[in-house]
Amino acid sequence: MTISFKLCQNVFLSKILFKGNLSFSSTAIDHKSYLLKQPLMIYIHWPFCKSKCTYCNFNKYINPKPDHERMKNSLISEIKDYVQKHDMKGRIIHSIYFGGGTPSLALPSTFEAILNTIANEFILPSNTEITMEGNPTSTETGKLQNFHSIGINRLSLGLQSLNDMELKRLGRDHTSKEAISAIKESIKIFRENVTFDLMFGREGQTVDDWKVELKNALEIASDHISLYELTIKKGTPLYKDFIKGKFKKPSFDNLADLYNITLDITKLYGFQQYEVSNFQRNEKYSKHNYGYWSGLDYLGIGPGAHGRLTDPKNKMRYRTIRRLYPENWMKQCEETGEGIAKYEQMNLEDIKNELILFGLRTRIGIPRIRFKKYSQGQELEEYLNMDQVNRFIKDGFLIWENNNIEHNKGWILNDFDEEIQNGGLRPTKKGLAVIDEIVPRIIY
């Protein structure tokens, strides 16, 4: 296959995310013109899997023979419908993410048609990050070159573990040998733009076990890795085992030790923690995920997909939620053009709290410029409980940065130099580890 969708070569667009267009303007005469300059992300949900993992509560369905043509037409219909109804023609695409489910089970031609549609409806810069999730099975790995050929330039592999017994317990359908092979093959195709997930906090896992597993993974890693604590979610087989006493989580102290050794070992291999669970080197952070955390609009397409959009007519932000079940979603797309289930306005408090909650999970924190941009001009320090903030600063959990920050490779990514120049609030290494406990205490 060849890359058939059109890419914009305008160099200016590659710098638009956080360089320029940062000033907030509540009195702009033409809000549509302003909005057209703001980057937009697109998330596309492919809901089908070969099997369902024991820990997973995502919107996934086991269907070995999905109707690929019907899914493709419905996804394209939703994109076109939103462009027309919400006046989105010509917005600049910041990133595209094919998630799931297991998107690598889709036909490459399906995603090619979707990318062509996006290129025709929006402005798609040549350096747009286009990510696809995949599983490290031999069947899916064999299709990776085709996906790369149609324009996908970043791959996220769901490894979860390099221990065969643990993979079986988690319900994964690959082996550790397949996982290692998949990483090596993926790097040949996508080079440094490969990431994968690993989980710690599994039953019986010791610090020494995790040290060996993590080092083995980092030896073959590219420049990004996501390292999550295993969470037990209601409705999953793992949760049922937990309730019955068949599965036990490590103690709080053991989890803390696992987290701390994660930071030590990733640093040893040259990785920088830029978010609670995400690590990068050579500036290969996830632009799409950072867009979520920093407040960008994103269009969610597909069964159960969520979105966050600004209306060009009234300047209000809205959450969008699609119908969950693929059959119901496709039927609605065929009847009305889109599969929306809920379209609800976000109030200003929700917007501010979301910025703080997600921003403080990153090392950069909440730049004052960003908060002012999305909060109708309010200063960050006016909204926060500064008495509590100052206590956390005194105790070494938070840092208040003032203007003209000198670049420090320890916590600033190059793309965010300009955004942080007016200062802001950020967590320390110690604060990042307990940030979920801090946030509720600093919001009035």
Side-chain angles (χ1 to χ4, degrees):
M1 293 185 182
T2 58
I3 301 175
S4 60
F5 64 91
K6 296 177 288 185
L7 295 173
C8 174
Q9 300 297 323
N10 191 336
V11 176
F12 167 75
L13 294 177
S14 69
K15 302 179 180 179
I16 199 165
L17 173 57
F18 291 111
K19 303 200 183 241
N21 299 305
L22 290 172
S23 59
F24 175 85
S25 174
S26 60
T27 59
I29 296 173
D30 188 349
H31 187 68
K32 180 184 174 183
S33 296
Y34 166 79
L35 200 59
L36 283 173
K37 298 176 184 177
Q38 306 310 304
L40 173 72
M41 308 188 301
I42 300 179
Y43 172 81
I44 297 148
H45 191 73
W46 184 266
F48 304 115
C49 288
K50 285 183 179 177
S51 60
K52 195 159 186 176
C53 304
T54 60
Y55 58 87
C56 180
N57 69 342
F58 292 164
N59 190 40
K60 296 183 176 183
Y61 304 89
I62 310 304
N63 186 347
K65 294 183 179 180
D67 190 331
H68 290 274
E69 187 69 17
R70 198 173 172 210
M71 275 294 297
K72 178 187 74 175
N73 292 337
S74 296
L75 289 165
I76 289 173
S77 174
E78 275 209 315
I79 294 169
K80 290 182 175 180
D81 185 84
Y82 249 76
V83 169
Q84 181 180 357
K85 288 181 180 177
H86 299 277
D87 212 4
M88 301 176 76
K89 185 81 172 180
R91 284 197 67 173
I92 299 161
I93 299 303
H94 164 60
S95 59
I96 300 168
Y97 195 101
F98 291 94
T102 310
S104 53
L105 292 175
L107 299 176
S109 58
T110 295
F111 290 172
E112 181 179 32
I114 291 167
L115 291 174
N116 281 332
T117 301
I118 292 170
N120 287 330
E121 300 292 344
F122 302 95
I123 294 176
L124 191 60
S126 59
N127 63 340
T128 301
E129 178 187 273
I130 305 175
T131 304
M132 182 185 72
E133 293 178 348
N135 283 338
T137 62
S138 55
T139 303
E140 293 165 64
T141 304
K143 296 162 61 179
L144 291 181
Q145 183 62 61
N146 290 336
F147 282 115
H148 184 260
S149 296
I150 58 100
I152 290 167
N153 54 33
R154 186 173 182 270
L155 183 69
S156 178
L157 289 170
L159 266 65
Q160 314 313 343
S161 175
L162 292 178
N163 180 301
D164 284 335
M165 187 169 65
E166 289 299 320
L167 287 169
K168 188 175 182 179
R169 180 186 294 179
L170 294 170
R172 304 297 290 165
D173 59 357
H174 66 272
T175 65
S176 58
K177 184 178 179 180
E178 283 182 308
I180 293 168
S181 175
I183 294 171
K184 292 178 179 179
E185 287 302 309
S186 300
I187 291 173
K188 290 178 184 177
I189 298 169
F190 296 90
R191 302 176 68 83
E192 69 273 12
N193 296 314
V194 176
T195 182
F196 57 86
D197 302 343
L198 285 181
M199 288 181 174
F200 63 88
R202 307 188 301 264
E203 182 178 15
Q205 186 180 40
T206 67
V207 170
D208 287 340
D209 291 338
W210 181 231
K211 278 183 182 179
V212 172
E213 187 174 359
L214 182 55
K215 285 181 177 179
N216 287 341
L218 292 173
E219 288 287 345
I220 57 173
S222 183
D223 286 340
H224 190 282
I225 186 169
S226 298
L227 303 169
Y228 298 95
E229 178 188 329
L230 174 61
T231 55
I232 302 173
K233 299 175 182 177
K234 287 185 178 182
T236 64
L238 194 63
Y239 178 79
K240 294 174 184 176
D241 286 346
F242 178 71
I243 294 298
K244 294 176 183 177
K246 295 181 179 179
F247 177 85
K248 295 179 180 179
K249 283 276 285 180
S251 68
F252 179 81
D253 287 343
N254 191 22
L255 286 172
D257 290 340
L258 291 168
Y259 176 80
N260 288 330
I261 202 64
T262 298
L263 302 187
D264 292 341
I265 293 176
T266 50
K267 185 177 180 181
L268 186 66
Y269 281 81
F271 283 85
Q272 173 196 15
Q273 183 189 29
Y274 70 97
E275 191 267 348
V276 172
S277 302
N278 287 277
F279 301 77
Q280 64 82 31
R281 58 188 175 192
N282 300 320
E283 298 287 318
K284 289 296 180 180
Y285 68 96
S286 170
K287 293 181 179 179
H288 189 85
N289 284 343
Y290 228 113
Y292 291 141
W293 305 326
S294 56
L296 293 187
D297 278 2
Y298 64 98
L299 178 60
I301 297 298
H306 289 220
R308 179 178 64 207
L309 298 170
T310 304
D311 191 299
K313 297 181 178 67
N314 61 17
K315 308 180 188 178
M316 303 303 298
R317 300 199 92 177
Y318 292 85
R319 287 194 182 99
T320 63
I321 303 172
R322 310 288 168 180
R323 293 204 175 277
L324 283 175
Y325 299 106
E327 179 59 36
N328 294 346
W329 170 80
M330 285 188 286
K331 184 178 179 182
Q332 184 171 319
C333 286
E334 290 161 351
E335 293 174 350
T336 69
E338 47 77 30
I340 195 77
K342 190 180 292 185
Y343 188 80
E344 58 185 20
Q345 183 177 321
M346 297 178 66
N347 64 51
L348 194 54
E349 295 301 300
D350 288 341
I351 293 170
K352 294 174 186 177
N353 290 342
E354 193 175 78
L355 286 169
I356 293 166
L357 175 64
F358 291 128
L360 283 179
R361 287 180 61 86
T362 70
R363 291 295 302 275
I364 290 172
I366 320 161
R368 295 175 73 239
I369 287 176
R370 181 192 301 163
F371 189 82
K372 191 172 184 177
K373 174 182 177 181
Y374 291 111
S375 66
Q376 297 187 1
Q378 186 176 20
E379 297 289 351
L380 179 60
E381 54 268 41
E382 294 173 355
Y383 185 69
L384 296 175
N385 182 334
M386 290 306 293
D387 288 338
Q388 288 286 0
V389 168
N390 288 328
R391 289 191 183 98
F392 284 117
I393 290 173
K394 183 179 179 181
D395 292 338
F397 292 97
L398 297 173
I399 294 175
W400 185 270
E401 298 285 356
N402 293 312
N403 298 350
N404 301 317
I405 300 169
E406 293 183 7
H407 189 92
N408 182 327
K409 283 289 186 182
W411 64 275
I412 301 176
L413 295 164
N414 288 334
D415 286 345
F416 299 86
D417 277 347
E418 192 168 322
E419 195 189 22
I420 55 91
Q421 283 309 302
N422 283 358
L425 184 69
R426 67 179 181 89
T428 62
K429 178 181 175 181
K430 181 170 76 168
L432 200 61
V434 292
I435 200 63
D436 290 343
E437 300 295 323
I438 293 173
V439 170
R441 291 170 169 80
I442 64 174
I443 298 175
Y444 280 110

